Amino acid sequence: QVLLVESGGRLVQPGGSLRLSCAASQDNFRNYGLAWFRQAPGKEREFVAAITWTGARIDYGDAVRGRFTISRDYGRVSVHLQMNNLKPEDTAVYYCAADRRPQRMAATTMIEEYDIWGQGTQVTVSS
């Protein structure tokens, strides 16, 4: 069973930066697209960013475009989310997820296309 483990969430002031990481427990993870979603209290889970298995294609949610950057390491078994100019509305639990289809060529934003999820890491943006 593939497990995803997120890390890096913490309390940060508005305007600050944070880097989240997600590591997979198996090497075959490198053949799957990866994504970040987030869920604030009382709200539905929201797409944040996605990257294909090769890293060639990336997509972002409108709320974070221009502020957040998704990347994956050379071995493609870890994914990172660099978050800059954080706002209070970015406060949420951030989840890492793996695409259900191996070697998909598009960076899908659809939550139903992801079937393996991490446990989440809390990001709080507050002064």
Side-chain angles (χ1 to χ4, degrees), residues 47-98:
F47 170 74
V48 175
I51 187 168
T52 54
W53 68 287
T54 62
R57 294 188 179 182
I58 291 172
D59 201 359
Y60 295 97
D62 290 340
V64 307
R65 194 183 308 273
R67 299 187 297 123
F68 291 10
T69 302
I70 189 172
S71 62
R72 60 193 304 169
D73 65 359
Y74 182 75
R76 307 202 305 270
V77 293
S78 294
V79 65
H80 311 283
L81 186 68
Q82 178 66 41
M83 305 186 294
N84 298 328
N85 190 22
L86 283 161
K87 305 175 181 180
E89 51 264 42
D90 294 319
T91 296
V93 177
Y94 284 72
Y95 296 93
C96 175

Side-chain angles (χ1 to χ4, degrees), residues 1-79:
Q1 181 180 3
V2 177
L3 297 178
L4 302 174
V5 180
E6 303 96 335
S7 62
R10 61 176 176 85
L11 172 65
V12 62
Q13 292 187 343
S17 297
L18 205 56
R19 179 178 169 88
L20 304 183
S21 295
C22 173
S25 62
Q26 295 183 3
D27 288 345
N28 63 352
F29 185 63
R30 64 170 54 92
N31 293 317
Y32 291 81
L34 305 164
W36 289 95
F37 288 79
R38 67 185 183 185
Q39 189 166 20
K43 295 187 177 181
E44 294 185 353
R45 196 164 293 191
E46 174 189 26
F47 170 74
V48 175
I51 187 168
T52 54
W53 68 287
T54 62
R57 294 188 179 182
I58 291 172
D59 201 359
Y60 295 97
D62 290 340
V64 307
R65 194 183 308 273
R67 299 187 297 123
F68 291 10
T69 302
I70 189 172
S71 62
R72 60 193 304 169
D73 65 359
Y74 182 75
R76 307 202 305 270
V77 293
S78 294
V79 65

